Amino acid sequence: MTQSSVHGERTRPGSAPDHGGPGDGPGPGPGRRAGRRRPGRRHRALRWSATVLSVLILGTAGAGYLYYEHLNGNIQKGERSSGDSKADKPEPNAAGQTPLNILLIGSDSRASDANVALGGGRNNRDNPPLGDVQMLIHLSADRESAAVVSIPRDTRVDIPACTDPKTGEKHPATNAIINESLGRGGAGCTLATWENLTGVYIDHWMTIDFAGVVAMADAVGGVEVCVNQNVWDRPLPAVPGGSGLKMTKGPHRVKGEEALQWLRTRHAWGSDLLRARAQHMYMNSMIRTLKGQNVFTDTGRLMDLADAATRSLTVSQEIGTVKELYDLGMQLKTVPTDRITMTTMPTVEDPQDRNHLLPAGDAEKMWTMLREDVSFDDKGGKDGKDGKDSGNKGTDSATGKDPAAPDAEIGVLVQNATRSATLGPVGGRASAVAEVLARKGFAKAATDTSAALAEEKTVVRHPGPETAGDARRVAEALGIPASSVRRSADVSGITLVVGADWRSGTSYPRQEKPEAGELPDNSDALNGSDSGKCMDVYAPYRW
């Protein structure tokens, strides 16, 4: 690999190269699962710590209430989605459980003196922020496993039309690298971009900036990282910039600005993809650190951590209180470390620009696993926890709340969306599929004659609950999986969008349901309990 092959050099036209964003917000909530204990001093201490926690975090009166209000006042929040999103919230499974998806965004904003001091780029202070780190955290419906997927910042995707919630400015849909979505409507626009790309409904978002990363690393007391060679991420004659990270071979506990340098380093690892791996190592290490600390019995540390977390994060408004964040942390806390899997979306080089990437075909398998709540690891037990029976039971046509009308009465508009990032559209696909529906008894099937669209995966969209049963019936008739039936404000009736995955034939290609642990080979999976990983340093940055 040569120095010029490092992805992501041209991320902000007309300005100096940007060298990364913060990586990681807080991991799962602190503490260990409490077991049965004999009465005694330790039992009383735990009972006392629970009382302190309720006063400090939930707050009921007096000083506790004032501190609770102080923490609430720290939190900045915004609307969940500010873009044109097509994802629908999944129905509960047979046990009444639903997965939980949280989008974590690291912003490169220089909007404050602290961020300018840490991130440099004083001349870029007024530029729109870029979402240089983006991770989707998926908690399984049973809360027994978790998956984290990163998308490299220079991946070219379709960004939907978004409205900036602060200024009201409307941004039209565009095709650009994904980190630009943050500046086109805030975190809510990035969330909508992810939903449209993956088909996964995202419940919440959290953002953290340079100063927030430093504050969280200090509050945790440092996070252990490791390198296999001495590293110095510095400017080189042919490659300007660098995070400034300098450390010797072996493990190190980083905090403050050094933690930020680790998360921003890209050149010394060799690419954005490898930077994602370093960020995953950091995040796993932070989770292990929090789980290993007895925060609940250390009032001072608990207060410091709560204060740092609420000051560091901006969150979607439905989790914009200390109680909501605490409850969220408790859900994260229940997941065992060895059931957490960190991954990166498979990508290929963008033929239009070698500094950019495109989602690879294997990425769809990953999104399917998330949509159907199939665990990324193979450590699940019985009763569907191995991924074989963990699909979305509530979307099946036999169990859906809305019954389907007779086939002949269901109106279906068929659209040709077979164009992809690398292939042109297939002529006549909408007409061909509409004819198939007509032969199956859907007499009101019609063809949309507008210009060909682009959609990687075939979907059946419907406008609301009253049409859900009809949409499921259309999907069932063609063999399209129930997970591809989605509610959308874009359509006024049942709309079948024939995607790039169905370019030929009269029946939808059979899709093998992935089983637990069947991740694509190029997803760079890392288990949360693996503490022995170290980063290799790209040769020019060794010393």
Side-chain angles (χ1 to χ4, degrees):
M1 170 180 244
T2 63
Q3 294 172 19
S4 62
S5 67
V6 176
H7 283 300
E9 294 301 321
R10 296 197 294 270
T11 60
R12 197 196 303 270
S15 69
D18 186 81
H19 302 289
D24 205 12
R32 297 181 181 272
R33 292 178 175 171
R36 294 182 179 177
R37 302 184 185 279
R38 297 178 180 176
R41 294 179 61 189
R42 182 168 179 79
H43 180 73
R44 290 194 298 272
L46 287 172
R47 187 169 53 195
W48 175 85
S49 68
T51 303
V52 170
L53 179 64
S54 66
V55 171
L56 291 177
I57 299 299
L58 300 181
T60 55
Y65 176 78
L66 292 176
Y67 187 66
Y68 174 74
E69 287 301 298
H70 161 73
L71 294 178
N72 271 335
N74 287 345
I75 302 171
Q76 299 182 61
K77 46 189 177 287
E79 60 185 74
R80 189 191 73 85
S81 177
S82 57
D84 181 12
S85 170
K86 298 180 176 63
D88 198 8
K89 193 166 187 175
E91 297 284 343
N93 63 16
Q97 304 165 317
T98 55
L100 180 65
N101 295 298
I102 307 160
L103 183 61
L104 179 63
I105 305 167
S107 168
D108 80 339
S109 170
R110 270 80 167 176
S112 69
D113 291 340
N115 285 325
V116 168
L118 292 166
R122 186 177 300 275
N123 294 334
N124 296 330
R125 181 166 184 154
D126 296 327
N127 286 1
L130 296 172
D132 276 351
V133 177
Q134 299 181 23
M135 297 181 183
L136 181 64
I137 304 169
H138 172 90
L139 274 74
S140 64
D142 59 15
R143 302 299 188 265
E144 293 191 5
S145 68
V148 178
V149 182
S150 291
I151 293 183
R153 66 177 188 170
D154 290 324
T155 304
R156 181 162 61 87
V157 299
D158 289 328
I159 300 174
C162 294
T163 301
D164 191 311
K166 294 182 179 179
T167 65
E169 181 181 359
K170 296 184 181 299
H171 297 271
T174 188
N175 183 262
I177 56 177
I178 197 168
N179 71 344
E180 293 182 13
S181 61
L182 187 63
R184 299 178 64 85
C189 185
T190 302
L191 179 143
T193 301
W194 271 77
E195 287 192 335
N196 291 351
L197 175 67
T198 67
V200 175
Y201 180 86
I202 301 174
D203 300 89
H204 316 297
W205 54 257
M206 297 180 176
T207 67
I208 188 168
D209 58 19
F210 295 148
V213 170
V214 170
M216 283 302 303
D218 286 345
V220 172
V223 175
E224 187 168 289
V225 297
C226 180
V227 287
N228 285 322
Q229 301 88 18
N230 295 349
V231 59
W232 187 7
D233 192 49
R234 64 198 186 281
L236 295 178
V239 185
S243 70
L245 179 72
K246 187 176 185 180
M247 60 175 54
T248 56
K249 172 183 176 181
H252 296 265
R253 182 166 291 274
V254 296
K255 58 191 302 187
E257 189 171 354
E258 191 174 24
L260 178 63
Q261 290 173 338
W262 176 273
L263 294 166
R264 297 184 68 204
T265 293
R266 180 176 81 253
H267 297 310
W269 310 140
S271 71
D272 257 348
L273 298 176
L274 292 170
R275 183 175 78 156
R277 181 189 298 175
Q279 291 166 351
H280 293 162
M281 289 181 185
Y282 180 96
M283 193 169 180
N284 276 338
S285 182
M286 175 176 270
I287 292 169
R288 292 192 299 268
T289 298
L290 284 169
K291 282 180 173 287
Q293 292 176 344
N294 202 7
V295 177
F296 289 98
T297 58
D298 188 335
T299 306
R301 290 220 56 248
L302 180 60
M303 292 176 67
D304 289 344
L305 189 59
D307 193 59
T310 53
R311 286 183 182 277
S312 300
L313 294 171
T314 302
V315 301
S316 52
Q317 57 195 9
E318 68 284 348
I319 53 169
T321 67
V322 173
K323 183 182 185 307
E324 293 293 342
L325 287 174
Y326 176 76
D327 291 344
L328 184 62
M330 290 302 97
Q331 294 186 65
L332 288 160
K333 177 191 168 208
T334 64
V335 180
T337 307
D338 66 350
R339 298 295 312 277
I340 299 172
T341 307
M342 303 274 176
T343 62
T344 300
M345 180 189 75
T347 57
V348 294
E349 187 177 287
D350 185 352
Q352 296 183 13
D353 187 336
R354 67 186 302 271
N355 291 306
H356 295 164
L357 301 165
L358 291 174
D362 287 348
E364 179 54 37
K365 183 175 185 180
M366 195 175 271
W367 308 143
T368 300
M369 294 177 76
L370 292 179
R371 288 194 299 267
E372 300 190 5
D373 198 25
V374 178
S375 63
F376 277 20
D377 66 75
D378 59 0
K379 298 181 175 66
K382 300 178 181 179
D383 301 323
K385 294 174 185 177
D386 58 358
K388 294 180 181 179
D389 297 307
S390 58
N392 233 345
K393 308 260 189 273
T395 60
D396 184 84
S397 59
T399 60
K401 296 177 182 178
D402 175 59
D407 293 353
E409 298 179 12
I410 299 176
V412 187
L413 184 65
V414 184
Q415 296 179 333
N416 182 355
T418 52
R419 177 170 58 85
S420 70
T422 56
L423 297 172
V426 178
R429 284 304 292 154
S431 297
V433 175
E435 289 175 8
V436 173
L437 282 170
R439 290 197 298 269
K440 289 178 176 289
F442 293 85
K444 293 185 177 181
T447 302
D448 185 349
T449 58
S450 59
L453 306 173
E455 197 85 39
E456 288 296 325
K457 186 175 177 62
T458 297
V459 293
V460 182
R461 297 195 173 111
H462 66 94
E466 69 283 356
T467 54
D470 293 350
R472 287 192 292 267
R473 173 61 193 136
V474 171
E476 182 182 57
L478 295 170
I480 298 169
S483 60
S484 294
V485 177
R486 300 174 197 165
R487 182 177 176 177
S488 172
D490 282 348
V491 298
S492 57
I494 308 302
T495 303
L496 168 58
V497 184
V498 183
D501 61 340
W502 191 10
R503 295 175 64 85
S504 62
T506 57
S507 60
Y508 185 69
R510 183 178 178 183
Q511 307 291 308
E512 292 294 334
K513 181 178 177 180
E515 295 190 5
E518 289 187 344
L519 282 168
D521 292 337
N522 52 347
S523 60
D524 197 25
L526 180 67
N527 187 271
S529 63
D530 192 345
S531 59
K533 295 289 186 180
C534 297
M535 287 298 297
D536 281 319
V537 180
Y538 184 34
Y541 295 91
R542 299 175 187 175
W543 60 281

